[in-house]
C-alpha cells in the first residue's frame, strides 16, 4: 500500500519495476502473485494498469512452458478472467492497457482458441468507448485478432459463403455417416433376434429347463430395439478404427468451421462502427481503422471492401498550415491512404512475371470502378491522379488499360471496358499524353459503334477527350504566371463529328442525358467556335418538335400537378421535347462559362500587353533621344492592340461591362441568338407541366428553366414566381431538389433578386423527402459559409436539422454549425433568434430536442467570458417579454448551460433577478437557477468577492421563490419536484453521445 492517495511517484516507480520484472524474471514474480494481485483494486490507476501488463507477460510465460499441466491451464484461465474484468475499469488508461495486453498475448505462439470469442466480443464493445485512446487500441487489437486468427484452412480466407458451404458439406457427411451407423446397428439387432428365435424353436421341448436363457435373450433383444429408437446419436463404439478416426476428424472440422463463422460474424458486427471511425477527427483512430480494412480485404472478409471505398474520401483531407500543429496529422492520413491503396492494388507479386503483374494491377484498378457511386469515383479520381503524378503507376499498366478498352476480337463485358476508360480518364488528369498519344482509338471505340451501343462508355470517352483542352484553374505547386494558354481545335476536327453523332443518337435510353451533357462539355472545352456547332445541333433537335408552337401561356394555369392533358394532336413526342429542352438548357450554362473564359482571356492578354508596350515605347524613346512618358506608351501601340482595344475596351472594367451586357441582353433577347428562340417554349412548358403529364419532361424542363434564369437578371426576375411555385407545388422530389439548387445558383448570380425572397431558401428544410432536405441543407451551407447570404433569423431552421431522423442530415447540420462558429461569432450573434425559433410558434421543437440542440450550440460560446456575460444579460431581458411557461423553462435551461466562472457573470445574474423572479414559481425554472448557483460556487467561487455575490444571490433567490409560490419561507434551496431532472438527464445523455462522437 502507499502512504497517501496523492502520492504519485510511489505507484509510478513501483509499476515500472513490476512490469520490467515480469519481462525479465516472470518465474520469480509468479510466486509472489498472491500478494501482488490485490493491487488490481488499488486507487492508483497506474498500478491497475501495471498489474494488467504483468498478468499479460505471465500468461505468455505460462503458455510457453513445454509441459502444460492442469495447474498451468487453470492459472492461464484465471488470468484471462482477470483481463476480461479489467475491460470494465473506470479509468480509460487501464482499459487502453488491457487492450494492449490482448494484442501482445494473442500475437504470441499460443492462439488460445477457446478464449478468443469472448475477447473479440469485449474488444468490439470497446470500439464505442468514450475515450479516443481506448477506441484506437481497440481497433488495433481487433486487427491483431484478425491477422493472428487460427483458421488457416482454405488459405486463411474468411468468406462467409465458403465457410458456410464447407460447414454444410461436413454436416451432411456426418449425417450420412450417422445414418449408416444406425443401419448397421439395426442389422445387428435383427440378426440377434433371429438367432434367438431359432434357438427357441429347437429347444421347444425343453421350455421349462431353458426359461431363464430365453428371458436373457429377450432382454438383449429389447435392449437393441431401445438403442435403435434412441435416435441417430453418433457413437464411435463398434466402428472400425478407420471409420472412427474419420468421424472424429469430421467432428473437429465441424467445430472449426462453426468457430470460424462465429468469428466472422463478430467482425461483421464491428464493421459499421469502424466505418464511422474512418470519419473521426483523431488521426490515430483513422489510421488504425484503415489498417484494419486493409487486413480485412487481404483475408477476404465480407463487407471489408466498403471500408476501402469509404477510405478513398480521405484523399480530400485539407492541407493545413504549420501554425495549428496539425500538418503532420493531415499528411499522415493522406500518406497512409496512398500506401494502403498501393499495398492492395498496385504492389506486384514476386511469384508472378512482369506481364502477369501488369494484368493483375490492371484488373485491380478496373475492379475499383465496379458499383462505385459518383462520390466514390470523384474521390478515386483524385487518388489515382495523385498516384500517377508521383509515378506510382507505370506505362505498362497504361498500355494494358488501353488494350482492354480497345479490345474487339471477342465480346468483352461492358463493366470491364467501362472500367478501363474510367481509369484512363483519371490517369489523364495527371498526364495529357494518355489522350494525345492515341486519339484515334477513342474516336473509333468510344465515339464509334461501341459508344453508340453503350452510352455510358461514350460518356466517359467524352470526359477523357476534355483533357485535351487546358484548364484555367491553377494547379497545386504551379507558379504564378505559368498557366497554360487555352488551346482549341478547329471545328472541322473529326472529334466534333463523333460528339455530334452522340448528341443526335435517336435511341431512347436514359443514359443519353449524361452522355449528351459530357459531349456538350467536350465541344465547349475543345472547339474554336463551339456555339456554331451547338446551334446546328439545336436546329436538328428542333425539327422533331415543330408541332408544339406555344403562342402564349395562361397565367392561371399554374397548377403544376394537374392531371389535365392536352389533346394528342397538339403534342409532340415528350421524349423529343425533353431532349431538346435538356440540350438548350445545358448550352445556356456552357455559354455562360464560355463568356467567362473569353473575359478571362481578354484580361490576360491585356495584362500581358502592358509590359511589352511599355518596353517598345521605351526603346523608341531611347532611339529618338528622349524620355518616354505615359502618352507616348499609348500612342506607340500597334494595329493589333488598337483592334483589341476597339473590341474589348481599354481597361479590365470595360471588358467586364461588355461581357455582362452580352450576357444580359444578347443571349436570351438578341435577334440572332438561338437560345432566344426557345426561351418562350421553355416557359410555356414549365407553366403547363401537369398538362403534358410526363415526369421526365417535368424534371428536365425545370432544370433548363433554372439554367436560363442564371443568364439574365431580367429573365430571372420575370420567371422567379414560376420557379418558386414549382418549389412549393411540385410533387416530384427531383423537381424540388433541382429548384433548391437553382435558387442557390441564382443567389450567386443575382443576389439582389433573392434578398427579398430569402425565406424560400429555407422552406425545403421542412420537406418530407430526406433527399430534398439534404440538398437544401447543402445549398444553404455553401451560401452561408461563403458569405453569399446574410443570416437574418433563419438559423433556427438550420438548428432543427440537428434533430433530424436522417443521420446524414443531422451530421451535415453539425458540420455546418461547427464551421459557422469559426466565422465572426455568428452563432453567438444569432443565438436569441435561434432560441425563439426553437421554443415559440407552431414549428417549435419539443423540450427534449430543444435541450440537446442548445447543449450542442452553447459549446461554441463557453470559452469566451465576455460573450457569456452578454448572453446572461440578453436572456434575463427575454424573461420580461414572455408569459409562456414553456419558453420560460427553455430560457432558464439555456442560462444553466453557461459557465459562471467570474464575479461579473454572477453579478449580472443577480442584477437580472427582477426580470425572472415571477417565473420562479415553476419548479423547473427554479431548479435551473439552483443549478446555476451550485455551478458558480464550484467553478468560480475562488475569490471572496465571488463568494459574497453568490451568498447574496442565493438568499434573494430563495426569497423570490417564496414570494412567487406564496410560501412564507424558502429554507430548502433544492425543494423541487421529482420530475424536474428529466431535461437534465436528456442533456447528460446527449453529452455522453457528443463525447463518443
Amino acid at each position: 500500500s502507499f502512504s497517501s492517495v496523492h502520492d504519485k511517484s510511489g505507484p509510478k516507480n513501483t509499476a515500472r519495476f513490476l512490469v520490467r520484472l515480469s519481462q525479465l524474471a516472470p518465474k520469480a514474480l509468479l510466486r509472489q502473485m498472491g500478494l501482488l494481485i490485490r493491487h488490481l483494486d488499488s486507487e492508483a490507476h497506474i498500478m491497475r494498469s501495471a498489474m494488467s501488463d504483468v498478468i499479460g507477460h505471465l500468461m505468455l510465460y505460462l503458455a510457453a512452458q513445454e509441459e502444460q499441466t492442469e495447474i498451468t491451464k487453470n492459472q492461464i484461465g484465471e488470468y484471462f478472467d482477470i483481463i476480461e474484468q479489467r475491460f470494465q475499469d473506470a479509468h480509460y488508461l487501464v482499459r487502453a492497457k488491457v487492450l494492449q495486453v490482448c494484442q501482445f498475448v494473442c500475437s504470441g505462439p499460443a492462439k488460445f482458441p477457446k478464449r478468443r470469442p469472448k475477447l473479440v466480443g469485449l474488444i468490439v464493445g470497446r470500439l464505442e468507448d468514450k475515450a479516443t485512446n481506448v477506441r484506437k487500441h481497440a481497433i488495433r487489437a481487433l486487427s491483431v485478432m484478425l491477422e493472428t486468427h487460427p483458421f488457416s484452412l482454405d488459405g486463411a480466407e474468411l468468406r462467409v459463403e465458403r465457410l458456410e458451404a464447407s460447414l454444410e458439406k461436413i454436416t451432411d457427411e456426418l449425417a450420412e455417416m450417422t445414418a449408416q451407423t444406425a443401419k448397421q446397428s439395426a442389422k445387428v439387432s435383427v440378426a440377434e433376434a433371429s438367432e434367438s428365435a431359432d434357438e427357441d424353436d429347437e429347444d421347444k421341448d425343453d421350455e421349462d429347463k431353458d426359461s431363464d436363457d430365453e428371458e436373457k435373450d429377450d432382454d438383449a433383444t429389447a435392449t437393441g430395439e431401445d438403442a435403435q429408437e434412441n435416435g441417430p446419436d453418433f457413437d464411435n463404439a463398434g466402428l472400425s478404427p478407420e471409420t472412427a478416426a474419420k468421424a472424429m476428424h469430421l467432428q473437429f472440422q465441424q467445430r472449426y468451421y462453426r468457430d470460424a463463422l462465429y468469428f466472422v460474424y463478430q467482425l461483421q458486427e464491428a464493421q459499421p462502427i469502424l466505418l464511422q471511425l474512418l470519419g473521426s477527427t483523431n488521426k490515430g483512430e483513422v489510421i488504425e481503422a484503415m489498417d484494419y480494412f486493409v487486413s480485412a480485404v487481404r483475408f477476404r472478409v465480407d463487407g471489408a471492401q466498403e471500408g476501402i471505398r469509404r477510405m478513398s474520401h480521405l484523399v480530400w483531407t485539407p492541407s493545413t498550415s504549420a501554425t495549428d500543429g496539425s500538418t503532420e496529422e493531415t499528411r499522415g492520413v493522406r500518406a497512409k491512404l496512398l500506401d494502403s491503396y498501393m499495398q492492395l492494388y498496385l504492389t506486384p507479386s514476386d511469384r508472378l512475371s512482369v506481364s502477369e503483374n501488369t494484368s493483375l494491377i490492371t484488373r485491380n484498378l478496373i475492379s475499383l470502378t465496379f458499383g462505385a457511386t459518383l462520390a466514390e469515383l470523384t474521390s478515386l479520381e483524385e487518388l489515382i491522379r495523385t498516384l500517377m503524378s508521383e509515378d506510382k503507376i507505370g506505362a505498362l499498366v497504361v498500355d494494358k488499360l488501353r488494350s482492354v478498352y480497345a479490345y474487339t476480337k471477342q465480346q468483352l463485358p461492358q463493366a470491364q471496358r467501362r472500367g478501363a476508360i474510367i481509369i484512363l480518364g483519371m490517369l489523364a488528369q495527371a498526364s495529357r499524353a494518355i489522350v494525345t498519344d492515341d486519339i484515334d482509338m477513342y474516336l473509333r471505340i468510344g465515339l464509334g459503334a461501341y459508344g453508340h451501343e453503350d452510352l455510358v462508355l461514350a460518356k466517359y470517352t467524352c470526359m477523357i477527350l476534355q483533357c485535351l483542352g487546358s484548364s484555367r484553374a491553377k494547379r497545386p505547386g504551379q507558379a504564378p504566371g505559368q498557366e497554360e494558354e487555352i488551346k482549341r481545335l478547329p471545328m472541322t476536327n473529326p472529334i466534333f463529328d463523333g460528339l455530334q453523332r452522340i448528341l443526335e443518337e435517336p435511341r431512347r435510353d436514359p443514359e443519353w442525358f449524361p452522355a449528351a451533357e459530357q459531349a456538350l462539355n467536350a465541344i465547349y472545352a475543345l472547339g474554336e467556335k463551339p456555339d456554331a456547332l451547338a446551334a446546328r445541333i439545336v436546329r436538328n433537335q428542333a425539327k422533331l418538335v415543330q408541332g408544339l408552337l406555344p403562342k402564349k401561356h395562361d397565367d392561371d394555369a399554374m397548377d403544376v400537378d394537374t392531371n389535365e392533358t392536352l389533346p394528342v394532336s397538339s403534342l409532340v413526342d415528350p421524349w423529343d421535347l425533353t431532349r431538346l429542352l435538356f440540350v438548350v438548357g445545358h448550352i445556356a450554362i456552357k455559354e455562360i462559362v464560355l463568356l467567362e473564359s473569353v473575359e478571362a482571356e481578354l484580361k490576360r492578354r491585356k495584362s500581358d500587353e502592358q509590359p511589352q508596350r511599355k518596353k517598345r515605347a521605351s526603346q523608341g524613346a531611347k532611339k529618338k533621344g528622349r524620355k518616354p512618358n505615359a502618352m507616348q506608351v499609348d500612342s506607340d501601340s500597334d494595329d493589333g492592340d488598337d483592334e483589341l482595344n476597339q473590341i474589348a475596351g481599354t481597361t479590365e472594367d470595360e471588358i467586364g461591362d461588355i461581357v455582362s451586357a452580352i450576357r444580359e441582353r444578347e443571349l436570351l433577347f438578341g435577334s440572332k441568338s438561338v437560345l432566344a428562340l426557345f426561351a418562350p417554349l421553355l416557359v410555356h412548358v414549365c407553366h403547363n407541366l401537369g398538362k403534358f403529364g410526363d415526369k421526365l419532361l417535368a424534371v428536365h424542363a425545370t432544370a433548363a428553366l433554372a439554367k436560363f434564369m442564371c443568364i439574365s437578371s431580367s429573365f430571372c426576375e420575370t420567371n422567379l414566381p414560376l420557379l418558386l411555385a414549382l418549389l412549393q407545388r411540385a410533387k416530384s422530389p427531383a423537381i424540388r431538389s433541382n429548384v433548391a439548387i437553382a435558387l442557390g445558383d441564382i443567389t450567386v448570380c443575382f443576389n439582389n433578386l433573392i434578398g427579398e425572397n430569402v425565406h424560400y431558401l429555407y422552406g425545403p428544410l421542412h420537406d418530407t423527402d430526406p433527399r430534398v432536405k439534404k440538398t437544401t441543407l447543402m445549398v444553404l451551407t455553401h451560401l452561408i459559409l461563403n458569405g453569399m447570404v446574410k443570416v437574418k433569423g433563419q438559423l433556427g431552421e438550420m438548428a432543427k436539422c440537428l434533430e433530424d431522423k436522417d443521420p446524414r442530415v443531422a451530421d451535415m447540420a453539425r458540420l455546418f454549425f461547427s464551421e459557422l462558429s469559426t466565422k465572426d461569432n455568428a452563432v453567438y450573434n444569432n443565438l436569441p433568434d435561434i432560441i425563439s425559433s426553437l421554443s415559440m410558434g407552431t414549428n417549435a421543437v419539443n423540450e427534449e430536442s430543444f435541450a440537446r440542440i442548445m447543449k450542442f450550440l452553447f459549446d461554441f460560446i463557453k470559452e469566451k467570458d465576455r460573450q457569456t456575460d452578454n448572453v446572461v444579460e440578453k436572456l434575463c431581458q427575454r424573461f420580461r417579454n414572455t408569459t409562456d411557461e414553456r419558453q420560460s423553462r427553455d430560457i432558464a435551461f439555456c442560462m444553466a448551460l453557461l459557465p459562471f466562472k467570474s464575479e461579473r457573470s454572477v453579478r449580472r445574474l443577480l442584477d437580472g433577478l427582477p426580470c425572472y423572479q415571477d417565473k420562479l414559481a415553476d419548479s423547473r425554472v427554479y431548479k435551473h437557477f439552483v443549478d446555476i448557483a451550485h455551478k458558480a460556487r464550484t467553478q468560480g467561487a475562488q475569490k471572496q468577492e465571488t463568494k459574497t455575490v453568490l451568498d447574496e444571490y442565493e438568499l434573494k433567490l430563495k426569497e423570490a421563490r417564496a414570494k412567487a409560490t406564496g410560501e412564507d419561507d424558502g429554507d430548502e434551496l433544492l425543494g423541487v419536484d421529482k420530475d424536474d431532472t428529466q431535461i437534465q438527464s436528456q442533456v447528460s445523455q446527449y453529452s455522453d453521445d457528443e463525447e463518443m462522437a
Side-chain angles (χ1 to χ4, degrees):
S1 62
F2 301 99
S3 58
S4 172
V5 178
H6 302 287
D7 182 12
K8 296 182 179 179
S9 61
K12 182 177 180 180
N13 294 330
T14 305
R16 294 176 61 186
F17 169 75
L18 291 175
V19 172
R20 188 60 177 164
L21 183 62
S22 66
Q23 296 173 350
L24 298 177
K27 185 175 182 180
L29 191 62
L30 189 62
R31 299 169 184 170
Q32 306 299 326
M33 283 300 293
L35 298 175
L36 296 175
I37 201 71
R38 59 190 178 89
H39 285 295
L40 284 170
D41 297 326
S42 173
E43 294 183 0
H45 70 83
I46 194 170
M47 285 302 300
R48 302 198 302 272
S49 179
M51 286 306 302
S52 300
D53 208 348
V54 166
I55 289 174
H57 288 104
L58 293 180
M59 290 167 63
L60 286 179
Y61 169 75
L62 292 172
Q65 299 300 309
E66 294 182 1
E67 185 179 357
Q68 293 290 317
T69 63
E70 197 66 29
I71 296 176
T72 302
K73 295 179 180 179
N74 290 337
Q75 280 183 308
I76 295 176
E78 291 174 359
Y79 287 153
F80 262 113
D81 293 338
I82 294 173
I83 291 297
E84 291 168 357
Q85 293 173 2
R86 289 296 100 190
F87 271 89
Q88 307 298 328
D89 196 281
H91 203 281
Y92 75 96
L93 288 177
V94 181
R95 300 195 299 271
K97 175 58 69 175
V98 170
L99 289 165
Q100 295 178 44
V101 170
C102 292
Q103 294 171 32
F104 68 74
V105 167
C106 293
S107 298
K111 300 296 185 181
F112 305 109
K114 293 184 179 180
R115 307 296 304 212
R116 275 180 173 255
K118 187 173 183 180
L119 269 183
V120 173
L122 292 171
I123 292 171
V124 172
R126 287 301 96 196
L127 291 175
E128 297 181 289
D129 198 280
K130 296 179 181 179
T132 298
N133 197 28
V134 178
R135 296 198 298 269
K136 180 181 70 174
H137 285 291
I139 303 171
R140 186 179 301 171
L142 194 63
S143 299
V144 170
M145 289 290 185
L146 175 60
E147 293 170 355
T148 62
H149 72 81
F151 310 107
S152 57
L153 295 179
D154 302 325
E157 293 187 0
L158 297 175
R159 290 180 178 175
V160 171
E161 183 178 359
R162 175 177 293 184
L163 293 174
E164 287 180 343
S166 300
L167 178 61
E168 183 179 359
K169 178 181 178 182
I170 292 172
T171 303
D172 293 341
E173 290 183 12
L174 276 174
E176 183 179 355
M177 188 174 292
T178 302
Q180 292 178 357
T181 303
K183 290 180 180 179
Q184 292 177 1
S185 300
K187 290 180 179 179
V188 172
S189 299
V190 171
E192 291 178 354
S194 177
E195 183 180 355
S196 176
D198 293 340
E199 291 178 356
D200 290 344
D201 293 338
E202 293 176 357
D203 299 336
K204 187 175 182 180
D205 296 336
D206 302 325
E207 183 178 352
D208 294 336
K209 180 179 179 180
D210 299 332
S211 60
D212 294 337
D213 295 337
E214 291 177 3
E215 290 176 1
K216 292 180 181 180
D217 292 337
D218 292 339
D219 292 339
T221 304
T223 302
E225 293 174 354
D226 291 340
Q228 185 177 358
E229 293 173 0
N230 284 337
D233 293 338
F234 192 81
D235 188 4
N236 293 344
L239 296 178
S240 63
E242 295 180 357
T243 306
K246 181 179 179 181
M248 185 176 297
H249 179 68
L250 289 175
Q251 288 175 332
F252 279 127
Q253 282 189 320
Q254 186 182 43
R255 183 183 304 173
Y256 166 88
Y257 284 112
R258 284 176 178 171
D259 293 343
L261 278 171
Y262 183 71
F263 176 63
V264 175
Y265 293 151
Q266 286 180 308
L267 295 179
Q268 290 179 338
E269 179 185 355
Q271 283 180 173
I273 306 173
L274 291 166
L275 288 174
Q276 293 181 357
L277 292 176
L278 281 175
S280 173
T281 56
N282 182 269
K283 169 193 170 185
E285 290 180 15
V286 176
I287 290 179
E288 293 297 338
M290 293 165 69
D291 280 334
Y292 168 82
F293 281 113
V294 170
S295 299
V297 169
R298 283 176 34 233
F299 286 103
R300 304 292 192 271
V301 178
D302 293 337
Q305 198 65 38
E306 177 65 21
I308 300 298
R309 292 183 182 275
R310 294 277 188 94
M311 282 167 50
S312 64
H313 299 315
L314 297 174
V315 74
W316 304 108
T317 304
S319 300
T320 55
S321 61
T323 55
D324 60 7
S326 59
T327 302
E328 183 179 356
E329 175 179 329
T330 53
R331 286 180 180 175
V333 172
R334 187 181 177 92
K336 184 65 179 179
L337 174 65
L338 297 177
D339 291 343
S340 299
Y341 269 78
M342 282 289 299
Q343 179 182 351
L344 286 175
Y345 302 112
L346 300 176
T347 302
S349 176
D350 297 335
R351 298 173 296 178
L352 301 178
S353 63
V354 175
S355 60
E356 291 174 336
N357 275 320
T358 301
S359 300
L360 175 63
I361 293 173
T362 303
R363 285 196 301 270
N364 290 339
L365 290 175
I366 292 176
S367 66
L368 290 174
T369 64
F370 295 162
T373 63
L374 178 60
E376 291 167 351
L377 287 176
T378 304
S379 299
L380 183 63
E381 178 180 341
E382 177 64 16
L383 196 151
I384 296 295
R385 186 197 65 80
T386 304
L387 291 172
M388 185 64 182
S389 62
E390 297 178 359
D391 295 329
K392 301 295 185 181
I393 301 176
L396 293 177
V397 175
V398 176
D399 292 339
K400 189 65 176 179
L401 286 168
R402 285 173 174 164
S403 65
V404 173
Y405 172 70
Y407 185 77
T408 58
K409 294 181 180 180
Q410 296 179 1
Q411 187 68 25
L412 188 69
Q414 284 186 343
Q416 290 190 22
R417 199 185 301 273
R418 290 176 181 177
I421 187 60
I422 291 173
I423 298 298
L424 284 171
M426 296 175 180
L427 297 174
Q429 297 295 324
S431 176
R432 285 181 55 192
I434 294 176
V435 187
T436 57
D437 288 349
D438 199 352
I439 296 179
D440 293 338
M441 176 188 68
Y442 300 106
L443 299 182
R444 185 178 68 257
I445 302 298
L447 300 185
Y450 289 94
H452 286 274
E453 293 177 2
D454 184 4
L455 290 176
V456 176
L457 184 71
K459 177 185 72 172
Y460 287 108
T461 303
C462 294
M463 292 173 66
I464 197 174
L465 289 175
Q466 294 171 35
C467 297
L468 289 172
S470 60
S471 174
R472 297 302 302 166
K474 186 174 177 294
R475 295 179 180 175
Q478 188 176 0
Q482 293 183 353
E483 297 89 348
E484 299 178 1
E485 295 184 3
I486 299 178
K487 299 178 181 179
R488 296 186 176 274
L489 303 176
M491 303 311 297
T492 56
N493 193 292
I495 292 178
F496 300 109
D497 295 334
L499 294 174
Q500 183 175 356
R501 286 194 296 270
I502 294 297
L503 285 164
E504 296 177 354
E505 169 66 38
R507 185 150 50 94
R508 296 174 180 265
D509 189 344
E511 294 294 342
W512 178 87
F513 295 99
E517 178 183 355
Q518 295 303 327
L520 286 171
N521 290 345
I523 290 173
Y524 275 86
L526 304 178
E528 286 182 345
K529 298 180 180 180
D531 49 346
L533 178 57
R536 188 162 64 250
I537 293 171
V538 170
R539 284 195 294 268
N540 293 338
Q541 292 284 343
K543 293 178 181 178
L544 303 175
V545 294
Q546 289 179 356
L548 184 60
L549 299 175
K551 298 180 180 179
K552 63 179 181 178
H553 64 265
D554 186 4
D555 293 337
D556 296 332
M558 282 293 298
D559 189 0
V560 178
D561 298 302
T562 180
N563 292 323
E564 182 183 356
T565 58
L566 294 175
V568 178
S569 58
S570 65
L571 284 178
V572 295
D573 190 344
W575 173 259
D576 294 332
L577 181 59
T578 302
R579 283 166 53 107
L580 173 64
L581 296 183
F582 173 82
V583 169
V584 297
H586 197 65
I587 288 176
I589 288 294
K590 299 311 296 184
E591 286 291 332
I592 297 176
V593 176
L594 179 63
L595 282 176
E596 291 175 350
S597 65
V598 170
E599 179 182 359
E601 180 67 14
L602 290 175
K603 290 181 178 179
R604 186 190 65 81
R605 291 183 182 181
K606 182 70 67 175
S607 62
D608 291 345
E609 284 293 329
Q610 292 295 332
Q612 296 178 6
R613 292 165 60 191
K614 290 181 180 180
K615 184 178 179 180
R616 288 194 300 268
S618 177
Q619 292 175 352
K622 288 181 180 179
K623 291 179 179 180
K624 297 178 180 180
R626 64 176 185 269
K627 296 182 179 180
N629 54 46
M631 295 298 295
Q632 290 171 339
V633 170
D634 291 337
S635 62
D636 291 336
S637 59
D638 54 17
D639 296 338
D641 296 336
D642 292 336
E643 184 179 355
L644 180 62
N645 291 337
Q646 293 173 6
I647 297 174
T650 58
T651 65
E652 291 189 359
D653 292 337
E654 291 180 2
I655 295 174
D657 293 341
I658 293 174
V659 172
S660 297
I662 295 174
R663 175 174 170 178
E664 179 70 28
R665 296 191 292 269
E666 295 295 329
L667 288 183
L668 293 183
F669 304 101
S671 58
K672 298 181 180 180
S673 174
V674 176
L675 296 179
L677 299 175
F678 295 96
L681 169 63
L682 181 59
V683 174
H684 169 79
V685 173
C686 290
H687 268 287
N688 300 277
L689 289 180
K691 296 180 180 179
F692 283 93
D694 189 87
K695 294 182 179 180
L696 190 64
L697 173 62
V699 171
H700 288 291
T702 306
L705 176 65
K707 294 173 182 178
F708 269 60
M709 292 173 66
C710 291
I711 296 178
S712 168
S713 59
S714 58
F715 183 85
C716 179
E717 185 176 7
T718 303
N719 295 282
L720 186 59
L722 171 60
L723 196 68
L724 297 178
L726 290 169
L727 177 64
Q728 294 177 331
R729 303 179 187 178
K731 293 181 180 180
S732 171
I735 293 179
R736 300 199 299 273
S737 296
N738 287 343
V739 174
I741 297 173
L743 289 176
D745 293 336
I746 293 172
T747 303
V748 176
C749 297
F750 314 112
N751 190 273
N752 57 325
L753 295 180
I754 296 295
E756 300 176 356
N757 304 289
V758 69
H759 59 279
Y760 286 102
L761 286 172
Y762 296 86
L765 289 176
H766 302 287
D767 200 282
T768 56
D769 192 280
R771 294 171 295 176
V772 179
K773 193 180 301 184
K774 180 184 175 184
T775 301
T776 305
L777 186 58
M778 291 176 63
V779 171
L780 288 171
T781 298
H782 170 71
L783 294 177
I784 294 175
L785 294 182
N786 289 283
M788 299 174 187
V789 170
K790 293 183 179 180
V791 181
K792 300 178 181 179
Q794 293 91 2
L795 274 185
E797 303 301 321
M798 304 280 285
K800 292 176 184 177
C801 295
L802 292 168
E803 286 290 299
D804 197 87
K805 296 179 180 179
D806 190 339
R808 297 175 299 175
V809 175
D811 291 342
M812 190 178 297
R814 292 174 187 273
L815 179 62
F816 165 74
F817 280 103
S818 299
E819 293 294 328
L820 185 66
S821 64
T822 63
K823 296 183 179 297
D824 299 330
N825 302 323
V827 176
Y828 162 75
N829 294 333
N830 291 275
L831 198 59
D833 294 330
I834 294 176
I835 295 174
S836 299
S837 176
L838 298 178
S839 182
M840 300 172 57
T842 56
N843 295 324
V845 299
N846 57 59
E847 292 190 59
E848 289 79 7
S849 298
F850 180 87
R852 289 190 291 269
I853 294 173
M854 287 296 107
K855 173 63 175 62
F856 175 78
L857 295 179
F858 268 77
D859 286 340
F860 298 123
I861 62 174
K862 282 186 175 181
E863 302 300 327
K864 301 180 181 179
D865 292 338
R866 179 172 297 181
Q867 289 186 359
T868 300
D869 300 339
N870 294 336
V871 171
V872 171
E873 184 175 357
K874 291 180 180 179
L875 292 179
C876 287
Q877 295 297 327
R878 292 182 73 87
F879 276 109
R880 291 183 181 273
N881 302 324
T882 180
T883 58
D884 183 63
E885 293 183 359
R886 156 73 194 280
Q887 192 173 5
S888 299
R889 291 195 299 269
D890 290 342
I891 297 173
F893 172 78
C894 293
M895 296 186 69
L897 293 175
L898 294 168
F900 291 84
K901 299 179 180 180
S902 64
E903 181 266 342
R904 186 172 59 253
S905 299
V906 181
R907 173 65 65 182
R908 294 201 178 188
L909 186 66
L910 176 61
D911 295 341
L913 182 60
C915 299
Y916 58 83
Q917 60 183 0
D918 59 323
K919 309 296 190 300
L920 295 176
D922 191 318
S923 297
R924 292 188 181 179
V925 174
Y926 180 61
K927 171 66 166 52
H928 290 314
F929 284 104
V930 170
D931 292 341
I932 292 173
H934 178 70
K935 181 191 298 185
R937 190 170 295 280
T938 56
Q939 293 183 354
Q942 302 297 328
K943 298 181 180 180
Q944 184 61 38
E945 295 83 355
T946 307
K947 294 181 179 179
T948 304
V949 176
L950 271 175
D951 293 338
E952 181 183 359
Y953 175 71
E954 289 181 347
L955 179 61
K956 291 188 176 182
L957 185 66
K958 287 193 285 186
E959 294 175 354
R961 164 70 173 179
K963 183 178 180 181
T965 57
E967 298 176 357
D968 295 335
D969 56 5
D971 294 335
E972 293 187 6
L973 186 61
L974 295 177
V976 295
D977 297 337
K978 293 181 180 180
D979 296 334
D980 293 340
T981 60
Q982 178 183 5
I983 305 300
Q984 193 64 32
S985 64
Q986 294 283 346
V987 175
S988 177
Q989 180 182 0
Y990 183 76
S991 179
D992 293 343
D993 295 341
E994 282 294 302
E995 188 176 355
M996 168 63 196

